[in-house]
Amino acid sequence: MEASAQTPYLRLLAAGSNARGQLANGSDDDSHTFKECRFINCIEGILPPNTLGISQLVTGANHTLALLEFDDGRRELWGCGDGRKGQLGPEYMEQLTEFTPISMPLYKYYASQGYTCCLIAAAWETSYLVLKLPSRPDVVISMGSNDFGALGVGTKQATATPAVVSFDHLTVEGRSINPSELIFESIVAGPRHVALHVRAVLNNEHMLIGWGLARHGQLGDTKIVNYDRPHIISLDISPDPVQTCSLGLQHTVVCYQSGRTTAFGSNKKGQLHKMDSWGRVRQVGCTWNGTYLLRDDNENTLLSTGSNAHGQLGRESQVEENEVTVGPVEFTLSHDGKLPSLRSFACGSEHKFGGGGWNEHGNLGLDHTDDVSKPIKIWPAEGHALDGIITRVWAGNGTSWILLQT
């Protein structure tokens, strides 16, 4: 394969936990520095030829999915890591230490009709694909573990067989919903629950639908231990549709187009603290037990609340251990004495990309495993030969990811 087949080059780097090969660097050893990911049958360190970018990268406990975009408009699903529960599909039931194209009979059936995988998400050991085809109903496929009803297929037993999630049982104020009229705008998964932003075609009605673990109220209702089929979360979001949402271990945070936010679920660690007083917000993120909001102000202030057990709130001024506070993440001044301009951020299990927090697996790529209590520069890394423009970043369960254009 000629190296000139792709210009400019895209390189994906990863650091952190790698027990089942989820970093795709060819091994299953943790990586304390950022190493290049491998794509099967491709030049080492470089994405497949004619790749324009990675539209989404999501991580479970020990598996990773990446949705690649190509210059001819194609999208392909690639995966690596742990496949023992079927989270990588029935063809890969062990582990993959390189990114490999993911396919299965159910996916091939829809692809043969013209469907494309447009959205992906990953829970602890479960994966989700949203397939789309103009003029045809959107389709959600789930595969992997069914712990806490994570598959959303209404069965209590575990199954590794990919299945189509059904929505034909849902009603709004006693009125049945026609699943063929639903457009799935986004899907997000935490370790144990899922949220799907849905729009009805005919009346432009917006809904938030979820399933999985529910007993902490993370799906809007504390009376149910878990929902093993899709459930409409009781939020009136049609006048002010969802812009983005993020899920922690036991809580859910929603950001609307107006910039307001709503949060529900566990507040044991203060992760829902004073959520109605954060002002206009443009991005939200959750660690397992924390919440981060990027305010839509002149300073692009990043606020944090919740657990600070590993310094992940990003401020040394955190008060007593059990006292909950909301405050800005304390970024280090640049050489000209100014705060850096924050474009976006990414949250992992107990760390954020920026970087700070939990670092037990070297997931901050700093060549050590000490936790970091304030954001520090993690890229360009000292002594790393690779140079290039950062185009995207992601954070997972003890992992961090950088997409470089070189």
Side-chain angles (χ1 to χ4, degrees):
M1 187 181 297
E2 295 294 329
S4 61
Q6 178 179 321
T7 304
Y9 298 124
L10 287 175
R11 300 177 185 268
L12 182 63
L13 311 178
S17 176
N18 196 33
R20 300 292 299 179
Q22 62 265 40
L23 296 184
N25 61 19
S27 77
D28 55 9
D29 298 322
D30 286 2
S31 178
H32 301 165
T33 59
F34 283 98
K35 293 182 179 179
E36 292 174 277
C37 299
R38 297 181 181 181
F39 291 79
I40 194 167
N41 299 326
C42 296
I43 299 173
E44 186 168 341
I46 298 177
L47 272 68
N50 305 315
T51 303
L52 286 181
I54 299 177
S55 63
Q56 283 186 276
L57 186 147
V58 297
T59 65
N62 292 296
H63 76 289
T64 307
L65 297 176
L67 190 58
L68 275 55
E69 296 179 316
F70 293 85
D71 59 6
D72 61 0
R74 285 181 299 120
R75 294 188 183 189
E76 289 184 2
L77 179 66
W78 292 57
C80 62
D82 190 6
R84 291 174 295 176
K85 294 295 181 69
Q87 60 267 56
L88 298 178
E91 293 184 13
Y92 303 108
M93 296 295 291
E94 293 300 324
Q95 73 176 43
L96 299 172
T97 59
E98 298 180 328
F99 275 111
T100 303
I102 301 299
S103 189
M104 66 208 75
L106 185 60
Y107 180 69
K108 290 177 180 176
Y109 167 75
Y110 282 101
S112 69
Q113 299 182 41
Y115 276 88
T116 299
C117 183
C118 293
L119 302 169
I120 57 175
W124 195 243
E125 294 177 316
T126 313
S127 300
Y128 308 93
L129 321 178
V130 175
L131 311 183
K132 292 177 175 285
L133 174 63
S135 76
R136 296 287 297 278
D138 289 357
V139 175
V140 178
I141 293 176
S142 64
M143 56 190 185
S145 168
N146 201 27
D147 290 348
F148 305 102
L151 290 174
V153 296
T155 176
K156 302 290 185 181
Q157 64 186 27
T159 174
T161 304
V164 174
V165 180
S166 173
F167 300 88
D168 57 9
H169 62 286
L170 297 176
T171 60
V172 175
E173 298 177 347
R175 172 175 52 86
S176 296
I177 296 175
N178 184 351
S180 66
E181 298 174 357
L182 300 180
I183 294 177
F184 304 130
E185 302 282 7
S186 65
I187 185 169
V188 183
R192 299 299 189 190
H193 69 297
V194 188
L196 189 64
H197 174 206
V198 178
R199 177 171 60 87
V201 176
L202 293 181
N203 56 10
N204 209 36
E205 185 177 43
H206 290 257
M207 294 173 284
L208 201 61
I209 294 173
W211 62 90
L213 186 63
R215 66 187 180 93
H216 300 280
Q218 59 265 57
L219 294 177
D221 187 351
T222 58
K223 301 183 184 69
I224 304 296
V225 175
N226 60 269
Y227 286 98
D228 57 17
R229 300 178 73 192
H231 151 78
I232 296 178
I233 299 171
S234 299
L235 290 174
D236 182 19
I237 65 175
S238 288
D240 187 10
V242 171
Q243 180 74 28
T244 181
C245 67
S246 186
L247 279 56
L249 183 62
Q250 299 171 348
H251 72 296
T252 302
V253 180
V254 182
C255 179
Y256 303 88
Q257 288 184 4
S258 66
R260 70 183 178 96
T261 56
T262 299
F264 39 96
S266 173
N267 193 34
K268 187 176 181 180
K269 301 291 185 179
Q271 57 266 56
L272 310 185
H273 189 57
K274 294 185 177 179
M275 287 295 297
D276 58 348
S277 60
W278 291 40
R280 185 178 172 88
V281 169
R282 63 183 177 90
Q283 184 183 347
V284 297
C286 294
T287 56
W288 281 359
N289 297 294
T291 301
Y292 301 79
L293 288 90
L294 182 58
R295 293 181 62 177
D296 192 9
D297 57 20
N298 292 333
E299 291 78 30
N300 288 328
T301 307
L302 181 61
L303 299 173
S304 62
T305 187
S307 173
N308 199 40
H310 301 282
Q312 60 267 44
L313 293 185
R315 39 193 160 96
E316 291 181 339
S317 58
Q318 176 73 357
V319 291
E320 296 298 323
E321 182 179 350
N322 294 322
E323 187 173 349
V324 177
T325 63
V326 177
V329 173
E330 297 173 356
F331 289 94
T332 304
L333 297 178
S334 59
H335 64 277
D336 58 2
K338 297 180 180 180
L339 287 172
S341 176
L342 184 61
R343 296 174 58 188
S344 65
F345 68 98
C347 290
S349 46
E350 293 290 4
H351 74 292
K352 64 186 179 305
F353 204 110
W358 184 48
N359 194 35
E360 179 182 348
H361 297 281
N363 29 297
L364 297 178
L366 300 170
D367 203 17
H368 64 73
T369 57
D370 299 327
D371 292 345
V372 176
S373 61
K374 287 183 66 175
I376 59 174
K377 186 183 77 172
I378 61 178
W379 190 268
E382 185 175 345
H384 205 296
L386 270 183
D387 192 16
I389 300 171
I390 297 176
T391 62
R392 296 287 300 273
V393 297
W394 300 270
N397 292 301
T399 60
S400 299
W401 307 76
I402 301 173
L403 183 62
L404 275 186
Q405 180 177 302
T406 60

